Amino acid sequence: MHPSSFLGRLVVNLTVLLICFISYSSQIFIIWPWYGRVLSVELITLLVPFNLLVGMLFWNYFLCVYTDPGGVPDDWRPDSNQDGYEVKKITGGPRYCRMCEKPKPPRAHHCRQCDRCVLRMDHHCPWVNNCVGHFNYGYFVRFLFFVDLACSYHLAMVTRRVLDETSSSYWNAVSAVELVFIMLNYVTCVPVILAVGAFSLYHFSSLMSNTTTIESWEKDKATMMVRRGKLREVKFPYHLGRRRNIESVLGTNPLLWWYPLPAPGDGLKYDINETAEEGYELSEWPPRDPIVEPPPPPGFNLPDSPWTYGNGSINPDLAPSNSKARSTKRRVRRVAHHSTLPPYHPDYQEGASSGYDYEEDSDSSFEEEQRRPLVRRGSEGYEIRPTGREDMLQSYLEQIGETPGRYHRYIPQEDSESESEEEEDVTPIGQIRPQPEMSA
């Protein structure tokens, strides 16, 4: 149990209260009045199995909350020849946790909530305020199993009480208190058995395949890489067969799988299946993406500290890629060689081309062959072909479905002398004076 998490402790207490309400309110306010508040053999036969299931539920829940899932010992060092398939994806060496600054055993992962590496980590469960790992995963699976049995038994009892009332030939009135608690028990127990039941099916399937929640994500990622053709079928190394998979968590005696026994093994080393099957490839786990994570070159070794260069200082070859460009001051003078008017405008001048002039002032002494002419580039970095107004107009007409050359540009004609004389004889309307009226 996480000692410093107040919210986690609150969730654990609320969980215990929920279990107590479902377990004991049904017996006190529903079953006991149903039997006339008289102790009988039939009543004992009905309630003893239910209370045994509730007791096993609480026992496994207590062990799951307070059992340490397992951490990496300070003096543990991996044996690269015998400790399984899990290695670093870059160097192929033993796994190492940078947060804990310790080597990581196979199937161990770092938990951010617990701030340490957990052996055979499955997940961090908020309902138990603890990580579910090697030493308490068996208690967690048994807890789910007894929750399913207890809730099913509870619903059977309450439903039997309701059916007995509806099918009875004589009147046996249900009190208001009993009716309220019947409704409350249904409201609380049905969502619990649906949620925990679905969760139990997932973990029972993971138990039979000897897979943790984190490893199931890794298997999904490997399956996706196989579908995309990045690698061949990779065999999961910890799948030993259903019987041995269950024995690795619950023990070797099937008659005691229901009893909360300690987990077998020390959590630092696990049996692997080295039997090659047809169509499957034996490889390291989790498999490396050959595109995102290419294999290291021969003789490649990382230093002990991942934050420094090989000689203990910064990398001398690290330099900004545009350092030469920064040392050069370019002054660009933008000159337009094309008219801003459309081609069909009377003042449009044919023969103008688009482009820019650049004047460059350099403070550094670069060789002439290192200087490259500046070109116009788009947002993706590709060079843009120079385009004139005529090409733009032709491209626009093709886009809208028109035939280029169908329309002719308007060329204004010069005014003749006769037209100019007629315009001079015309008097503007504003200058016409009204004629005086003639008196009779």
Side-chain angles (χ1 to χ4, degrees):
M1 183 174 182
H2 203 287
S4 60
S5 176
F6 171 77
L7 182 60
R9 290 176 177 268
L10 180 61
V11 172
V12 169
N13 292 327
L14 293 177
T15 304
V16 172
L17 291 177
L18 178 61
I19 297 174
C20 291
F21 175 80
I22 296 176
S23 303
Y24 300 114
S25 65
S26 59
Q27 300 182 67
I28 297 174
F29 298 100
I30 300 176
I31 305 301
W32 179 250
W34 182 28
Y35 280 82
R37 295 180 174 87
V38 177
L39 188 61
S40 62
V41 178
E42 186 179 359
L43 179 62
I44 295 175
T45 306
L46 178 65
L47 296 183
V48 167
F50 178 67
N51 285 276
L52 289 177
L53 294 176
V54 173
M56 295 299 298
L57 186 155
F58 272 115
W59 190 3
N60 285 277
Y61 184 73
F62 176 83
L63 292 175
C64 188
V65 171
Y66 288 98
T67 300
D68 187 2
V72 182
D74 296 334
D75 57 348
W76 182 81
R77 293 295 180 268
D79 187 355
S80 58
N81 297 325
Q82 298 181 0
D83 282 339
Y85 283 66
E86 297 193 23
V87 294
K88 289 182 180 179
K89 294 183 178 181
I90 300 179
T91 63
R95 302 168 67 221
Y96 187 84
C97 180
R98 296 180 178 179
M99 305 298 294
C100 300
E101 297 183 351
K102 293 181 182 180
K104 281 199 300 186
R107 314 184 77 177
H109 298 276
H110 187 86
C111 177
R112 293 180 295 178
Q113 285 78 7
C114 298
D115 194 21
R116 63 168 184 166
C117 286
V118 178
L119 300 178
R120 197 187 181 275
M121 180 180 175
D122 188 273
H123 68 285
H124 185 90
C125 183
W127 306 108
V128 299
N129 191 29
N130 197 3
C131 262
V132 178
H134 174 76
F135 290 104
N136 64 347
Y137 183 69
Y139 303 141
F140 181 76
V141 172
R142 295 184 182 97
F143 167 70
L144 297 178
F145 175 71
F146 284 111
V147 167
D148 296 335
L149 290 183
C151 288
S152 301
Y153 199 102
H154 170 274
L155 289 177
M157 288 193 309
V158 177
T159 304
R160 182 183 173 187
R161 172 67 182 98
V162 175
L163 293 178
D164 181 75
E165 178 64 27
T166 56
S167 62
S168 178
S169 59
Y170 58 90
W171 178 253
N172 186 13
V174 178
S175 63
V177 176
E178 186 177 357
L179 181 61
V180 169
F181 275 95
I182 288 175
M183 297 176 60
L184 290 177
N185 275 264
Y186 273 119
V187 169
T188 54
C189 188
V190 171
V192 168
I193 192 174
L194 291 178
V196 178
F199 199 56
S200 301
L201 293 177
Y202 173 79
H203 277 279
F204 294 159
S205 175
S206 299
L207 175 65
M208 289 186 291
S209 61
N210 200 7
T211 306
T212 63
T213 302
I214 299 176
E215 290 169 349
S216 65
W217 300 338
E218 295 173 348
K219 292 172 69 174
D220 293 341
K221 181 180 179 182
T223 304
M224 184 61 65
M225 288 190 292
V226 171
R227 290 178 179 176
R228 295 179 179 179
K230 294 183 179 180
L231 46 82
R232 294 180 55 191
E233 289 282 352
V234 180
K235 183 178 180 180
F236 183 62
Y238 302 110
H239 182 60
L240 309 175
R242 293 185 179 180
R243 176 68 179 269
R244 294 183 60 188
N245 292 339
I246 299 175
E247 290 178 352
S248 65
V249 177
L250 303 181
T252 57
N253 190 354
L255 299 177
L256 297 178
W257 283 351
W258 62 273
Y259 189 77
L261 294 174
D266 56 1
L268 300 174
K269 183 179 179 181
Y270 297 92
D271 296 333
I272 56 178
N273 189 357
E274 297 182 354
T275 304
E277 298 181 5
E278 184 178 357
Y280 288 87
E281 179 181 357
L282 293 176
S283 178
E284 61 188 25
W285 189 267
R288 180 192 299 116
D289 191 336
I291 297 179
V292 180
E293 301 162 356
F300 176 76
N301 293 317
L302 286 179
D304 296 334
S305 176
W307 311 114
T308 58
Y309 191 58
N311 57 1
S313 61
I314 61 174
N315 189 346
D317 296 333
L318 292 178
S321 59
N322 58 345
S323 58
K324 293 182 180 181
R326 291 181 178 178
S327 61
T328 302
K329 297 180 180 178
R330 289 189 176 94
R331 184 181 64 189
V332 181
R333 180 170 58 90
R334 184 173 179 177
V335 179
H337 289 284
H338 60 271
S339 176
T340 58
L341 302 176
Y344 48 81
H345 197 276
D347 297 336
Y348 175 75
Q349 297 181 0
E350 186 176 3
S353 61
S354 61
Y356 298 95
D357 284 347
Y358 295 89
E359 294 183 359
E360 183 175 310
D361 294 339
S362 175
D363 296 338
S364 60
S365 58
F366 290 135
E367 290 81 7
E368 292 295 333
E369 59 271 10
Q370 292 181 348
R371 297 182 179 180
R372 298 180 180 180
L374 298 178
V375 295
R376 295 181 61 193
R377 297 183 180 273
S379 60
E380 299 295 333
Y382 299 102
E383 182 179 351
I384 300 177
R385 182 175 61 88
T387 305
R389 290 283 181 173
E390 294 292 340
D391 297 337
M392 294 173 62
L393 177 60
Q394 182 177 358
S395 175
Y396 173 73
L397 293 176
E398 292 177 354
Q399 290 179 2
I400 63 176
E402 297 291 346
T403 303
R406 178 179 178 183
Y407 299 97
H408 301 282
R409 186 169 54 240
Y410 170 73
I411 301 177
Q413 301 293 332
E414 295 182 358
D415 298 336
S416 59
E417 296 181 358
S418 59
E419 292 179 354
S420 59
E421 292 177 356
E422 292 178 358
E423 291 180 357
E424 291 179 358
D425 296 339
V426 175
T427 303
I429 298 177
Q431 298 180 1
I432 299 177
R433 295 181 180 179
Q435 296 297 329
E437 298 181 356
M438 301 295 295
S439 58

